[in-house]
Amino acid sequence: MTVQLNHTIVHARDHRESAEFLAGILGLEVGTPWGPFIPVATGNGVTLDFASIPAESIVMQHYAFLLPDEEFDAALARIEADGVEYFADPQMRLPGEINRHHGGRGLYFLDPAGHGMEIITRPYGSH
């Protein structure tokens, strides 16, 4: 059997707000709540299960999403339309720019809980 990531839990101040934010940016659907979780499933079958916890307990995590070029363009358009600040670098020193690493494009932004989100069009090391 090939090992695959099935799901991960994403801590949030407000699980619905964070799930809807990310789903909106990526053009995904928010799933049916299950217990304390609000799921968002990606195209490769991995589910991000958002869970509300006290804000002081949240530790910033990084989540990267690989998108085809046309979906990157659509996500960038939604980011800009929603006024979400984005950066070309994970240190967030290059606001309003995208990077061109590995022969593709990428950018970083924060979700409502402060997690670092990244969208890229080429996997690292692919160029």
Side-chain angles (χ1 to χ4, degrees):
M1 177 173 133
T2 302
V3 176
Q4 298 180 7
L5 179 63
N6 178 265
H7 69 277
T8 191
I9 296 171
V10 181
H11 290 160
R13 291 185 299 263
D14 178 326
H15 63 323
R16 173 140 321 262
E17 175 189 32
S18 288
E20 288 177 355
F21 173 82
L22 186 63
I25 296 290
L26 297 179
L28 300 172
E29 298 292 323
V30 174
T32 303
W34 182 77
F37 305 112
I38 305 286
V40 175
T42 65
N44 62 340
V46 175
T47 302
L48 301 164
D49 291 325
F50 288 85
S52 293
I53 68 167
E56 63 274 7
S57 298
I58 296 173
V59 175
M60 180 185 181
Q61 299 293 314
H62 175 80
Y63 300 90
F65 301 92
L66 180 62
L67 285 68
D69 284 309
E70 62 277 359
E71 289 183 29
F72 181 93
D73 293 337
L76 177 57
R78 289 188 288 268
I79 286 169
E80 292 178 333
D82 291 347
V84 175
E85 192 171 20
Y86 64 94
F87 305 84
D89 62 315
Q91 297 80 21
M92 300 186 176
R93 291 180 285 194
L94 301 169
E97 298 181 34
I98 62 172
N99 66 57
R100 303 225 176 251
H101 301 313
H102 309 282
R105 296 178 292 155
L107 63 83
Y108 300 81
F109 59 97
L110 296 177
D111 85 335
H115 295 300
M117 300 291 172
E118 178 183 10
I119 57 174
I120 56 176
T121 60
R122 300 289 183 276
Y124 288 174
S126 65
H127 186 81

